[in-house]
Amino acid sequence: MMLSYDVVQWGKPLEKIERETPQPAGTEVLLRLKHCGVCHSDAHIRDGYFDLGGGQRLHMAERGMKLPATLGHEPLGTVIAAGPDAGDIALGENRLVYPWTGCGDCKRCREGLDNYCMAPRMIGIQRRGGYADHLLVPHRRYLIDAGGIDPAWAATLSCSGLSTYSAVAKLKPIPPDEWVAIIGAGGLGLSAIAMLRALGHQRIVALDVDRSKLAAAETSGAAATLDGRGGDAAEQLREFAGGYLYGAIDFVGTKETAVLALSVLRKGGRLILVGLYGGEIPLSVGATILRALTVQGSHLGSVNELKEVVALARQGKLQPIPIQTRPLAEVSRTLDELKAGEIIGRVVVEM
C-alpha cells in the first residue's frame, strides 16, 4: 500500500490517505521517495487559489487539479520499477525529480521547455506529488542524478534552486560593480543570494521585515541587509547603493514590494517577479519606456537549467541554505508555519 498526505478540502489540513501502490506503464518510472521539500507555494495551492490582484483569483480547479490531490513538487527517491517503454533505467539508484512536466507533445515540451507548456501536467499539481512514499514519474528524462550532494538539500533544488537560478539568469550579464536587491529573505531569497554568489556576483542587498531572516541572508552571502519596517525603504536602498540599482528580484510578490523595486531601478534596470503572494501594480507606459525598464515574470525553469543547478552544487560553487528535516506526518503543520512566515530557510520532509 502507498501512503500520502492529500488535500481533500480546499483550505483544510492535509489528510492521511492509503491507496494501492501505482504500477508504472508505458514510459513511466516508479520511485520510492526518501525526501520532499516543502514549498511556500503549496500553502497557496492548499487554499485552492492564487491571488491575481484586482479581486481576481486563479483557482487550482481551473489548472486541472482534482481532489483529493497529493501536493509536493520537490521529490527525491529511489527508482524501483519502470514501464515496458521506459528504456534504460538505473534501478536501485537515487534520482532527483524534475516536477514541472508538460503534456509531452507540444513544441515547448519537445524543446525541453516543459515549464512553458500551455497544457501542463505538473507533479504535485495536476499529477500526484511528493507528499507520499511513492511517486510515478511520466518519463526517465525527468530524473536527474544528484549524487554527491546531501539528498535533503538536493530535493530543494528542483524548485527553490531552479526557480532562483532561472530568475537570476534573467538579470545576466550583471555588471560586477552594480547592486542587485533581493526582496524577501525566505527560502527562495536565501537561495537566490547563494545562486548570485555561485555565479560570481557579490553586491547583493537583501530586504525583509524579519530580522532573523536578514541575519540568515547575511550568513548566505548578502553584502548588506535592510529592514523594510524602518522609514522609507526605497530611499534607504538608493542611499545605501549610492544611487539607483541595476536590478531587483521580488520573492514576495505584492503590490507594495513590486512598486518599491520599480522605484529604485536605474535607467535600463530590470525587475524579475517571482513571488506569488498576490496583487497588481500600476505601471506607467511612458515611464517604462523613458526609463527603459524591463519587468519580467520568472516561472520555474527547464530540465537543462535544473541540471546546471545540480552541477553548481556538485562543484561546490553553490552553498546550501539552512534546511531542517521533519517526518512526512508534519507536512501540514509545516505549510501552516510557511503561511505564517515562521520558517527560516527550507523544510524537507523525510519518508
Side-chain angles (χ1 to χ4, degrees), residues 215-235:
E218 287 187 357
T219 302
S220 294
T225 60
L226 179 64
D227 189 335
R229 295 173 299 182
D232 186 334
E235 182 179 343

Side-chain angles (χ1 to χ4, degrees), residues 30 83 105 113 115 135 312 321 324 346:
L30 179 66
D105 296 321
L113 299 173
N115 55 307
L135 177 71
L312 286 173
I321 65 173
Q324 55 177 299
R346 298 300 302 271

Side-chain angles (χ1 to χ4, degrees), residues 10 45 48-49 58-67 126:
W10 298 120
I45 296 170
Y49 65 90
L58 173 60
H59 292 275
M60 301 314 299
E62 298 171 10
R63 298 192 72 192
M65 286 192 72
K66 297 179 181 179
L67 301 184
Q126 293 89 2

Side-chain angles (χ1 to χ4, degrees), residues 11 16 48 58 81 96 130 152 171 191-192 223 249 260-261 268 281 310 332 334 336 342:
K16 181 179 178 180
L58 173 60
L96 174 64
L171 289 178
S191 181
I249 308 178
L260 166 64
I281 56 174
V310 169
S332 199
T334 301
D336 293 338
E342 298 171 355

Side-chain angles (χ1 to χ4, degrees), residues 201-222:
H201 193 73
Q202 298 186 16
R203 291 201 167 189
I204 308 160
V205 54
L207 177 71
D208 205 289
V209 295
D210 185 323
R211 290 198 178 105
S212 61
K213 292 182 179 179
L214 291 175
E218 287 187 357
T219 302
S220 294

